[in-house]
Amino acid sequence: MTIGFSPRVSRAARSSCMLCVAGLLTLVPAAAAARAERPDPGPPGGAAAAGPSPLHRSGTQVRPHPGAPPVPDVSALSWVVADAGTGDVLAANDAHRELPPASTLKTLFALTVLPALPGGIRHEVGPEDLSGIGPGSSLVGVVEGQTYRVSDLWNGVFLNSGNDAVHVLASLTGGWSATAARMQAEARALGALDTHVRSPDGYDAPGQVSSAYDLAVFGREGLRRPDFARYCAKVDALFPGRDGGSYGIMNTNRLLTGADGVEPYPGLIGVKNGYTSNAGNTLIAAARRDGRTLVVTVMNPQEGGGHAVYEEARSLLDWGFEADGEVDPVGSLVPERARPRQGPQATPAAVAAATPAEDEPGWPETGAILGVAGLGAGVMALALRLRLVRDDGS
């Protein structure tokens, strides 16, 4: 079963639904901001020496044991290698350097918006949904007047990096500016203090920056959420076309797909790549080997061409797996308030399940959202205008 809008329902009815969800989500920024506090990015357990954390220093930071493998020489302006299970940062270079993130910022968009939009919701795209898309944006092919499942739009975000899909999803949850504000609050709540959101799709905008540290935080957090982990691991999918047809789309993360001559990385489970002329190539990549998951971020390699971001990520992943037990952490992706007092954090269950799967209707999530929305004004308008329809499998 899914939630569907009848063809006889006016656009005003659909707007009522959007307003109910948006009204609920307006509570998020204040709540998230209230939780946010600056994390101590030093090693867990208070082992950091007095003074600035190594992650705030320039240059490469690593604490190797005798005989540990050397950190690879990469050209990226900034990078991080971290254990996704514990959050330990194994090595980093200029981790907090603020740089434009390009489409890797879509990971923060997904963390913010995915919980509010179950995959089974259907939406007919209107002209207002597609307004304001920047020239030269990557697009998945969303068409005005066509009805899409939200899960289709998420495929467009994660696989094809479609800014058109991002715009539609943002319009369903309160609009462009409100979404940016919620993303900003989500970043602060996660301890990602270098990120400043101006355009939720990652499109270059004055003042929009993130850092290798923050992107690693987003990637790790995403792998802890089953829906995010499922989407970011997909290699390909079918996207609805005109006249009831569909066409194939493929993940643009070449380290996952092996496209364009890039050798796929064994055990890779996502997460997201990006490119703009201002940001250069950016990448969050996660891989699992022998029960251990690493997440690396690479921002703007200065040598090696367009595929260098993948090869440098490959080198960093190889080093991270080889250096297991051979280095002490130089920091943590986990805010101090959230770290366990004893023992490492368990590897997120979502990581182990991060394999492509069929999209599910999303009824449990739908029920939760409607239940909470029922506490707010406008729920009667939503209830009168929504009908249950049988999922025809499209």
Side-chain angles (χ1 to χ4, degrees), residues 213-229:
Y213 177 89
D214 285 11
L215 295 181
V217 169
F218 303 151
R220 176 180 185 266
E221 181 64 24
L223 294 176
R224 295 162 60 86
R225 305 185 187 186
D227 48 0
F228 185 110

Side-chain angles (χ1 to χ4, degrees), residues 123-169:
H123 173 65
E124 181 183 334
V125 175
E128 67 281 0
D129 296 329
L130 298 175
S131 64
I133 297 176
S137 289
S138 56
L139 305 173
V140 69
V142 176
V143 178
E144 179 184 336
Q146 184 156 321
T147 298
Y148 297 87
R149 288 194 308 174
V150 163
S151 60
D152 295 323
L153 297 172
W154 281 119
N155 283 335
V157 171
F158 276 92
L159 276 68
N160 225 64
S161 206
N163 288 4
D164 46 357
V166 173
H167 273 257
V168 175
L169 292 167

Side-chain angles (χ1 to χ4, degrees), residues 161-194:
S161 206
N163 288 4
D164 46 357
V166 173
H167 273 257
V168 175
L169 292 167
S171 74
L172 283 169
T173 53
W176 201 242
S177 296
T179 299
R182 289 194 299 275
M183 290 171 63
Q184 189 69 65
E186 179 74 10
R188 293 298 178 266
L190 292 171
L193 307 182
D194 305 318

Side-chain angles (χ1 to χ4, degrees), residues 111-337:
L111 291 174
T112 305
V113 177
L114 259 173
L117 291 178
I121 293 177
R122 296 176 184 270
H123 173 65
E124 181 183 334
V125 175
E128 67 281 0
D129 296 329
L130 298 175
S131 64
I133 297 176
S137 289
S138 56
L139 305 173
V140 69
V142 176
V143 178
E144 179 184 336
Q146 184 156 321
T147 298
Y148 297 87
R149 288 194 308 174
V150 163
S151 60
D152 295 323
L153 297 172
W154 281 119
N155 283 335
V157 171
F158 276 92
L159 276 68
N160 225 64
S161 206
N163 288 4
D164 46 357
V166 173
H167 273 257
V168 175
L169 292 167
S171 74
L172 283 169
T173 53
W176 201 242
S177 296
T179 299
R182 289 194 299 275
M183 290 171 63
Q184 189 69 65
E186 179 74 10
R188 293 298 178 266
L190 292 171
L193 307 182
D194 305 318
T195 298
H196 300 276
V197 181
R198 301 292 183 266
S199 184
D201 54 5
Y203 193 83
D204 285 337
Q208 177 154 279
V209 292
S210 188
S211 68
Y213 177 89
D214 285 11
L215 295 181
V217 169
F218 303 151
R220 176 180 185 266
E221 181 64 24
L223 294 176
R224 295 162 60 86
R225 305 185 187 186
D227 48 0
F228 185 110
R230 184 177 69 250
Y231 282 118
C232 80
K234 282 189 177 183
V235 172
D236 53 31
L238 291 176
F239 194 81
R242 297 178 183 271
D243 302 322
S246 61
Y247 53 90
I249 58 174
M250 178 175 285
N251 201 311
T252 56
N253 182 352
R254 294 165 179 83
L255 208 58
L256 178 67
T257 65
D260 299 330
V262 176
E263 182 180 352
Y265 192 84
L268 199 85
I269 52 176
V271 179
K272 187 74 186 74
N273 59 315
Y275 173 80
T276 67
S277 56
N278 184 39
N281 286 282
T282 59
L283 177 67
I284 309 169
R288 186 165 176 79
R289 181 184 300 173
D290 299 328
R292 184 165 179 251
T293 302
L294 296 181
V295 58
V296 307
T297 52
V298 179
M299 301 191 75
N300 200 353
Q302 300 296 289
E303 301 173 2
H307 292 169
V309 71
Y310 301 110
E311 300 309 323
E312 295 193 1
R314 184 193 311 279
S315 296
L316 293 170
L317 284 167
D318 284 345
W319 175 84
F321 286 118
E322 186 181 358
D324 185 16
E326 299 296 327
V327 297
D328 292 327
V330 293
S332 177
L333 301 180
V334 184
E336 178 65 32
R337 65 185 182 279

